[in-house]
Amino acid sequence: MARVLYNLLMFTIGLTQRIRVLGYWSLIYGYCALCTAVALLKLWWNIILRPSTTFQWGIRETPPACLNDTSLGTHCYVRIKESGLRFHYVAAGERGKPLMLFLHGFPEFWFSWRHQLREFKSEFRVVAVDMRGYGESDLPSSTQSYRFDYLVTDVKDIVEYLGYNRCYLVGHDWGGTIAWLFAIHYPEMVTKLIVLNCPHPSVFTDYALRHPSQLLKSSYFFFFQLPRFPELMLSINDFKALKGLFTSRSTGIGRKGRWLTAEDMEAYLYAFSQPGALTGALNYYRNVFSSLPLSQNDVKSPVLLLWGERDAFLEQEMAEACRVYIRNHFRLNIISGASHWLQQDQPDIVNTLIWTFLKEGEGRKTHRN
């Protein structure tokens, strides 16, 4: 009798798990279908309003001068033996000084850290990487090449190639996700962790599933699962949607922020108008659902989390929730009026807060600037 009850219990547990998995993927594919329908309506409306320009966009052939600004650093390349991939990075500051490694988000590239490269090169060897699939780094064609474990290993390989075994790691958006994961899996290689507008991956997963408002804000995650169509929608009307991410009232840099200049915007259009550039960036999203939830969560490094109060994509409540996974000092700074594009929006405040964390930075208070 006991054996029968045990088998029945195990069957019930297994059935419950399968139902949860089925529900999870049903939610994902259902939301993908909904987002596709909305995108098709937007495309149809664009064709009606601008029939002659909707499908016009151009590859920028020449990089703007700001991408070759010598005050930002030297352009370098490294080919990692294990993966076979070539990575592009911009480096400044004296070799031998502590390494500060910057990881960008979507849709960005090394240039998003220009204000920080100038600021921290006096005391650090600063390196801003084009992550795989971005900028002048290699763009693997397979979606599976953008799994979390590969992205984390890229960071390890780059740190070691640069001749270091530890670094101050700084990440924003997708770069923030990889920075969290790197700190989880290689705690001995992270002196201090600095993350901008990106929650701990487990916080994001738990919060989004419990809060429909965040799920709605993250609808692009589902839309980006589709092949080719997201690339088209980001390209039409000469990359209007891409420009809007940085400049629109709802998602762009705030009125008090440091707006992108026309040349800055051309730098982004140069990077993402190149063949395959949008696909490489979007492939990060096309692996995310199969990579969560995480099997490990604890972060043992001191952590500074900077958060723009006006982030249009991520709800602020997730910032404080990150505390539960951090086994060291945790400092959270919420910056009033700042957008998701924090290091470009409010570079002076961001740089000051980073300096404070680097010099003194062991605290557990939440500050509002």
Side-chain angles (χ1 to χ4, degrees):
M1 184 66 180
R3 184 67 178 177
V4 172
L5 289 174
Y6 174 78
N7 289 338
L8 180 61
L9 176 62
M10 296 306 295
F11 173 78
T12 303
I13 293 172
L15 181 61
T16 301
Q17 290 176 339
R18 285 193 288 269
I19 290 172
R20 289 179 63 185
V21 170
L22 179 63
Y24 175 72
W25 286 107
S26 296
L27 172 65
I28 291 170
Y29 286 116
Y31 210 172
C32 284
L34 177 61
C35 294
T36 303
V38 172
L40 284 168
L41 287 173
K42 288 182 179 179
L43 178 60
W44 180 247
W45 186 245
N46 264 283
I47 293 171
I48 293 173
L49 293 180
R50 307 176 187 87
S52 61
T53 62
T54 295
F55 295 103
Q56 290 185 5
W57 60 85
I59 297 174
R60 274 55 177 181
E61 301 290 348
T62 305
C66 60
L67 292 182
N68 294 311
D69 184 347
T70 55
S71 71
L72 296 177
T74 304
H75 291 259
C76 308
Y77 300 86
V78 52
R79 185 170 296 280
I80 302 300
K81 183 178 180 181
E82 288 76 8
S83 67
L85 297 180
R86 189 185 78 154
F87 288 88
H88 167 255
Y89 63 93
V90 173
E94 292 181 21
R95 296 177 186 272
K97 287 189 173 182
L99 175 63
M100 182 177 285
L101 184 66
F102 296 93
L103 307 177
H104 62 79
F106 171 89
E108 298 173 295
F109 62 118
W110 73 266
F111 185 68
S112 68
W113 297 110
R114 58 196 177 281
H115 302 297
Q116 288 68 45
L117 288 171
R118 291 192 183 99
E119 179 71 19
F120 295 100
K121 66 182 179 182
S122 60
E123 293 193 25
F124 293 88
R125 177 64 171 172
V126 290
V127 173
V129 180
D130 277 340
M131 295 165 67
R132 71 162 65 192
Y134 279 91
E136 295 182 51
S137 292
D138 283 349
L139 285 73
S141 57
S142 169
T143 303
Q144 292 300 311
S145 297
Y146 297 83
R147 288 179 1 209
F148 279 177
D149 54 337
Y150 291 148
L151 301 173
V152 170
T153 301
D154 287 344
V155 179
K156 178 178 181 291
D157 290 341
I158 290 169
V159 170
E160 291 176 344
Y161 168 82
L162 293 170
Y164 292 85
N165 55 24
R166 296 176 66 82
C167 70
Y168 293 83
L169 189 59
V170 188
H172 169 249
D173 186 79
W174 257 109
T177 297
I178 304 308
W180 282 114
L181 293 171
F182 186 77
I184 290 169
H185 291 284
Y186 297 100
E188 72 283 359
M189 296 186 71
V190 180
T191 305
K192 290 187 176 180
L193 176 65
I194 301 166
V195 179
L196 287 71
N197 279 80
C198 179
H200 186 290
S202 292
V203 169
F204 176 79
T205 304
D206 295 342
Y207 187 90
L209 290 175
R210 296 172 186 271
H211 295 81
S213 56
Q214 179 57 57
L215 205 60
L216 183 62
K217 289 182 178 181
S218 302
S219 59
Y220 58 94
F221 271 70
F222 300 90
F223 176 56
F224 290 166
Q225 302 307 306
L226 300 171
R228 300 184 182 177
F229 190 40
E231 286 90 329
L232 172 65
M233 292 301 294
L234 288 169
S235 301
I236 61 174
N237 296 312
D238 198 30
F239 304 98
K240 181 181 178 181
L242 192 66
K243 298 173 190 173
L245 288 173
F246 297 104
T247 61
S248 72
R249 286 188 177 182
S250 59
T251 65
I253 292 173
R255 286 178 296 176
K256 295 182 180 179
R258 187 176 297 188
W259 290 3
L260 297 184
T261 65
E263 189 177 41
D264 291 340
M265 182 56 68
E266 276 303 308
Y268 280 96
L269 296 180
Y270 171 79
F272 287 100
S273 67
Q274 304 306 310
L278 284 172
T279 298
L282 291 169
N283 278 342
Y284 281 66
Y285 293 93
R286 290 166 178 157
N287 263 294
V288 68
F289 293 117
S290 59
S291 300
L292 296 170
L294 303 180
S295 57
Q296 294 176 255
N297 287 290
D298 290 349
V299 178
K300 299 177 182 177
S301 310
V303 177
L304 170 64
L305 178 58
L306 302 179
W307 202 277
E309 185 184 41
R310 288 185 57 256
D311 192 316
F313 308 102
L314 298 166
E315 295 187 354
Q316 186 177 308
E317 288 74 13
M318 288 189 285
E320 180 61 39
C322 294
R323 187 183 301 274
V324 70
Y325 293 112
I326 297 166
R327 302 292 177 257
N328 206 311
H329 301 292
F330 176 55
R331 177 184 287 268
L332 168 62
N333 291 92
I334 299 168
I335 302 176
S336 299
S339 70
H340 178 74
W341 319 105
L342 191 53
Q343 75 272 29
Q344 302 181 79
D345 186 328
Q346 300 284 352
D348 294 337
I349 293 175
V350 166
N351 293 346
T352 298
L353 292 172
I354 292 176
W355 275 123
T356 300
F357 178 66
L358 294 173
K359 299 290 187 181
E360 307 162 3
E362 296 186 351
R364 296 182 179 273
K365 295 181 180 180
T366 299
H367 301 269
R368 183 173 296 274
N369 296 91

